Amino acid sequence: MNRGPSRWDGAEGVGRPLALVGPTASGKTSVTLALADLVQPLEAVAADSMTVYRHMNVGTATPSLAERALVPHHLIDLVDADEEFSVARFQRAANEAFDDIATRSAHVVVVGGTGLYHQALIDHLSLPGRYPDVALQLEADAAGESDVKALHARLAGLDPTAAARIQPTNRRRVIRALEVTLGSGRPFSSFGPGLEAYPPSPFVLVGLRLGRDVTARRVEKRFMAMMDAGLLDEVRALLDRPQPMSRTAAQALGYRELAEHLRGERTLDNAVSTAIVRTRQFAVRQERWFRRDPRLTWVDGEADAATVASAAHRVWTDAKKWGGPGASGR
C-alpha cells in the first residue's frame, strides 16, 4: 500500500488532528464528548466499519442524536445494512468529511476501533482495487483450512514477499492478496510495505490503555445494556427486511449470534454469552493491532471520561503543529 500526501499537510491555520483509539467498550465516545469541554469547535470522524450502517445503531454503540448534537460526528449511517462497504469507499467519504470540516476551521478527532480504517485515514493509504469476480472464485476455493493453505502456497508462487507477511491460515488476508495479485496483474506486495510501516503522520495519535480484565467487564456490561436497549428487536427488524444483510454487516458482533438465535440455531442465553466472548476476543485483537504502532502515546483509559480527556488533550496540545512526526509513543 503506497502512501500519498495527507490533505491535512500544511493546512493553513488548522491545527493537527487527533486520532483517538482503543478497544471496544473503552469509552472513546465518552472521552470525545468530554474533549468538547476543552476544545471548541470540535467535530469527530468515526473510523468504525459498522457504524457506517443504518439501522444498526444499538449493537454498534453509534453515538446518539443527543451526543451528536454536542459533537458533530461524520461517517455514521452512510449506507443500508444490505450494502457492502469497502475501506477505499470509507477513505473517500472521510476525505470529503475533512474538506467539509476545514470550511469551519474546526478541530478534528478521528475516533474508532477499526484498525484498518484508522490507518487508512491517518496514513492516507493508497489502496489496491477490488476484483469481485476473482474474490468470489477464491472464496469458493477456500472452503476449508487445507484449502486456505493451498491458496497461500499459490500466493507464495506468485508473490513470495506477500506470502511471507501473511499466516497460511489467515483466510481473509490470503484471499485479498491473491485477489489483488490476480486481478491487477501485479504482486500485492508491490503496493507498498504494508501495514507494518509507521511513517510520520500529521495526526497526533493517542490510545486508551486499559487492563484486559477491565475491558472484559466493560464489554459484558455494555452488551447487556444493549440487550436492554432493544438489540434483539433491532436484529429481528434487519432480518425482516426484503434485502438480506451484506456479508460484512451480517458478521457484526452481537448481530451474528442473535440472528442465529432467531433462526433457531442457538438459545438466547447461548447467543448472548457467545457474543460477549467473541467481543472480548475482538477487543484483545484491537489492542494488539494498535500496540504495534510506535507513534501512539498511551493514556490511562480506566479513569473517568473527563480525566482521560484532559490527558489526551495535554498530549494533543503538546505536539508540534506541523512538519514533525506524530506522538512518539511515550
Side-chain angles (χ1 to χ4, degrees):
M1 297 177 186
N2 297 321
R3 288 166 169 80
S6 167
R7 64 189 53 238
W8 290 103
D9 289 343
E12 187 67 29
V14 179
R16 294 177 66 182
L18 173 69
L20 184 69
V21 304
T24 188
S26 59
K28 296 182 292 294
T29 297
S30 297
V31 173
T32 298
L33 297 176
L35 275 170
D37 293 331
L38 305 172
V39 179
Q40 281 291 336
L42 179 69
E43 299 190 28
V45 174
D48 190 293
S49 63
M50 292 301 164
T51 58
V52 299
Y53 290 110
R54 291 187 283 267
H55 313 297
M56 293 179 63
N57 293 337
V58 176
T60 62
T62 298
S64 67
L65 293 177
E67 291 169 332
R68 284 183 256 176
L70 294 173
V71 177
H73 278 66
H74 302 261
L75 277 61
I76 286 176
D77 293 342
L78 297 182
V79 297
D80 283 335
D82 58 272
E83 296 183 54
E84 288 292 349
F85 197 81
S86 67
V87 180
R89 187 174 175 186
F90 182 88
Q91 191 180 51
R92 289 193 297 271
N95 286 336
E96 292 173 2
F98 289 162
D99 286 340
D100 178 42
I101 295 168
T103 65
R104 292 181 290 280
S105 298
H107 302 278
V108 180
V109 54
V110 172
V111 56
T114 303
L116 182 56
Y117 279 27
H118 161 84
Q119 203 159 344
L121 298 191
I122 66 168
D123 288 335
H124 204 68
L125 300 180
S126 177
L127 300 164
R130 305 296 311 202
Y131 305 92
D133 293 341
V134 176
L136 191 63
Q137 182 59 55
L138 291 169
E139 290 281 359
D141 292 342
E145 184 175 324
S146 61
D147 299 318
V148 177
K149 291 181 179 178
L151 288 180
H152 185 271
R154 184 180 178 188
L155 176 64
L158 296 170
D159 185 356
T161 301
R165 294 173 179 166
I166 301 173
Q167 290 292 328
T169 55
N170 191 324
R171 186 178 191 275
R172 180 185 59 81
R173 292 192 65 194
V174 169
I175 289 175
R176 177 60 176 151
L178 267 177
E179 174 196 346
V180 172
T181 300
L182 296 172
S184 68
R186 55 182 279 200
F188 182 66
S189 60
S190 69
F191 284 88
L195 298 170
E196 292 76 25
Y198 302 102
S201 171
F203 288 78
V204 178
L205 311 179
V206 173
L208 305 185
R209 182 181 59 244
L210 298 88
R212 288 187 180 172
D213 57 336
V214 174
T215 300
R217 289 196 298 272
R218 289 192 182 187
V219 163
E220 180 172 5
K221 181 179 179 180
R222 187 174 75 162
F223 193 83
M224 298 311 297
M226 289 174 176
M227 292 297 295
D228 291 341
L231 177 56
L232 185 61
D233 288 337
E234 185 173 73
V235 176
R236 182 181 288 110
L238 287 165
L239 295 180
D240 287 342
R241 291 170 64 87
Q243 298 297 323
M245 296 173 70
S246 69
R247 181 179 59 180
T248 301
Q251 293 302 310
L253 291 166
Y255 293 85
R256 171 185 171 187
E257 294 80 14
L258 291 177
E260 291 169 346
H261 161 67
L262 291 170
R263 291 194 295 265
E265 299 167 12
R266 293 180 183 273
T267 65
L268 181 58
D269 286 346
N270 181 264
V272 169
S273 62
T274 301
I276 290 171
V277 168
R278 287 175 174 169
T279 305
R280 287 171 172 170
Q281 293 168 341
F282 174 64
V284 172
R285 293 196 299 273
Q286 287 177 299
E287 179 197 32
R288 288 173 178 165
W289 174 292
F290 292 124
R291 282 200 175 278
R292 294 199 302 258
D293 192 336
R295 300 168 299 180
L296 273 161
T297 295
W298 293 90
V299 300
D300 179 11
E302 297 182 16
D304 62 274
T307 301
V308 179
S310 294
H313 183 248
R314 284 194 296 272
V315 176
W316 195 2
T317 55
D318 287 348
K320 295 180 180 178
K321 285 200 67 173
W322 290 101
S328 61
R330 292 168 291 182

